[in-house]
Amino acid sequence: MALNKQLRLARHIREHEAVSLDLFDITEEAIPAPADGQFLVKTEALGTSPAQRAYLMGSDSRFHPPLSIGEIMRGRGVGHVISSRHPDFKEGDVVACSTGWQYYSIQDGDQSRSPVKTLQKVHYPQEPLCLHLGTLGASAFAAYFGLLDIGRPQAGETVVVSACAGGVGSLVAQIARIKGCRVIGIAGSPEKCAWIKDVVGVDATVNYKTDNLEEKFAELCPNGIDVYFDNVGGDILDAALKNLALKGRAIICGLISTEYENTPPPGPRHYYNLIYKRARMEGFFVWDYFEQFEAAEAELMTWYKNGDLTPTEKIYHGLEAAPEALQSLFSGIASGIKVIDLDR
Ligand SMILES: NC(=O)c1ccc[n+]([C@@H]2O[C@H](COP(=O)([O-])OP(=O)(O)OC[C@H]3O[C@@H](n4cnc5c(N)ncnc54)[C@H](OP(=O)(O)O)[C@@H]3O)[C@@H](O)[C@H]2O)c1
């Protein structure tokens, strides 16, 4: 008889400790049955997000409630509806939602009371389904709305992207290129810089570990940075703010370089430039765009089918590989969008 395999938190993570399978207990239990208004999802693939590290910390992080010992690890996944007692979700539908790190999950079809809507019906399912977590899913929605709605890039403008070899960043760079912008990508090794040039198609690269950031931005962007898409915060954000163009836009998507330190670092030194350059710095939250996901999915699908949008999924295999996949976001050992195929 098939069972529901799960990763449950066994202990909280220490500051600077790597995410590993040691933090979890592997459990198995009976596959649950949906009640009225619910449906059962068989997960095919899981996504990763730096925010998941905060769940493991055991204290309220700045944004995320902690996971209790024994709870199933939270996370987004994609899969098929295999039985349903909700009229809007039928057997065979593909959904992306908060599945947690487990094989099967019960979903409540009614999101009207949820403060944040995350249950997404996939309208144009593509194989492999993990694309609907990355190139055609949540990573792409963050890139799409952050860049186009907050950054509003114009053809010919210069767009600089941090963590450009990562999930969101590699998609921001491609969308900016599609929109006719000149794109400069930042990454943490010569191999990743070569990858964002060859695969993602950026015009120029910056290695934040070896280049002098302020000098390099000034050299590559003599008229300033029109749009800076920030995934990392810290010194990279600071150097970009110093080099903003007149009416420049800094989009704050994430702050992986500092978010998981117990003491928040001092704020950016060069934010005064927002005054001199009449510039704007604005954060966003991708789930606020939930009602527009279907329209974004359709446009992303067109670019994907035309060959304008190259998928960059880096696939890990098996539920037990999920901690390693999550850790790769912090160790920076792999390029692309990190997803876990459950291989069943
Ligand atoms: N606002 C929203 O609604 C929203 C939605 C989704 C994601 N996000 C945020 O978007 C960002 C990207 O998420 P993702 O899932 O696509 O992750 P990701 O970019 O695939 O992985 C993180 C990347 O960050 C870089 N990095 C790690 N530590 C760093 C450090 N100390 N300094 C500089 N760079 C560092 C690494 O690249 P290198 O190897 O090049 O260093 C790594 O590949 C995250 O900050 C995430 O929290 C926000």
Side-chain angles (χ1 to χ4, degrees), residues 283-305:
F284 74 99
F285 190 42
V286 65
W287 306 109
D288 291 346
Y289 294 91
F290 182 83
E291 305 299 341
Q292 298 171 62
F293 280 7
E294 186 177 347
E297 189 192 353
E299 188 162 27
L300 290 159
M301 184 66 67
T302 305
W303 292 333
Y304 169 68
K305 291 211 159 152

Side-chain angles (χ1 to χ4, degrees), residues 20-338:
S20 74
L21 197 54
D22 283 357
L23 296 167
F24 300 94
D25 287 326
I26 302 172
T27 56
E28 286 189 326
E29 57 184 42
I31 298 167
D36 268 351
Q38 296 182 330
F39 57 91
L40 178 67
V41 176
K42 181 180 181 193
T43 306
E44 305 294 337
L46 297 169
T48 55
S49 163
Q52 288 174 289
R53 191 181 199 287
Y55 306 156
L56 305 173
M57 288 165 59
S59 56
D60 263 327
S61 76
R62 270 155 262 163
F63 308 117
H64 309 286
L67 207 64
S68 304
I69 302 299
E71 261 190 274
I72 296 169
M73 176 60 174
R74 278 181 224 132
R76 192 166 179 79
V78 63
H80 289 99
V81 175
I82 57 168
S83 74
S84 177
R85 294 179 63 184
H86 191 286
D88 298 341
F89 295 89
K90 307 207 169 10
E91 238 179 87
D93 281 351
V94 175
V95 291
C97 51
S98 300
T99 57
W101 284 7
Q102 58 182 341
Y103 281 2
Y104 298 89
S105 66
I106 291 288
Q107 301 292 328
D108 192 340
D110 177 8
Q111 294 195 89
S112 59
R113 286 181 305 278
S114 314
V116 180
K117 295 189 175 65
T118 57
L119 167 58
Q120 174 211 349
K121 196 182 268 191
V122 173
H123 294 92
Y124 314 96
Q126 301 292 306
E127 289 292 342
L129 287 186
C130 63
L131 287 170
H132 297 289
L133 299 167
T135 301
L136 303 171
S139 304
F141 298 148
Y144 183 96
F145 291 110
L147 180 67
L148 301 183
D149 190 50
I150 311 290
R152 296 173 216 154
Q154 305 298 310
E157 286 192 326
T158 296
V159 175
V160 173
V161 187
S162 62
C164 189
V168 175
S170 64
L171 294 161
V172 171
Q174 295 193 66
I175 296 170
R177 197 197 59 218
I178 291 167
K179 295 291 177 183
C181 298
R182 179 171 164 262
V183 186
I184 294 165
I186 306 170
S189 70
E191 295 73 25
K192 284 191 164 185
C193 286
W195 185 84
I196 57 177
K197 202 129 203 259
D198 299 343
V199 178
V200 174
V202 300
D203 297 288
T205 63
V206 175
N207 180 338
Y208 74 91
K209 290 190 178 155
T210 53
D211 287 326
N212 177 313
L213 291 172
E214 289 182 15
E215 287 175 16
K216 194 75 183 176
F217 288 153
E219 175 200 323
L220 292 173
C221 314
N223 299 319
I225 300 170
D226 296 299
V227 177
Y228 171 60
F229 192 105
D230 191 30
N231 287 307
V232 302
D235 293 342
I236 304 179
L237 168 64
D238 218 7
L241 289 179
K242 187 162 185 193
N243 283 279
L244 281 181
L246 195 66
K247 292 278 181 189
R249 288 83 79 197
I251 307 159
I252 307 302
C253 177
L255 54 154
I256 194 169
S257 75
T258 60
E259 187 176 357
Y260 306 99
E261 290 172 15
N262 284 350
T263 312
R269 283 175 296 134
H270 297 305
Y271 82 105
Y272 60 81
N273 219 15
L274 298 175
I275 302 171
Y276 298 138
K277 296 295 169 63
R278 292 77 156 171
R280 177 161 59 84
M281 178 157 75
E282 185 174 343
F284 74 99
F285 190 42
V286 65
W287 306 109
D288 291 346
Y289 294 91
F290 182 83
E291 305 299 341
Q292 298 171 62
F293 280 7
E294 186 177 347
E297 189 192 353
E299 188 162 27
L300 290 159
M301 184 66 67
T302 305
W303 292 333
Y304 169 68
K305 291 211 159 152
N306 288 346
D308 290 333
L309 193 63
T310 303
T312 66
E313 273 71 9
K314 153 84 183 156
I315 302 180
Y316 291 76
H317 294 277
L319 187 63
E320 290 85 344
E324 182 194 350
L326 178 55
Q327 177 56 23
S328 75
L329 304 181
F330 299 92
S331 61
I333 52 172
S335 297
I337 306 164
K338 290 79 177 180

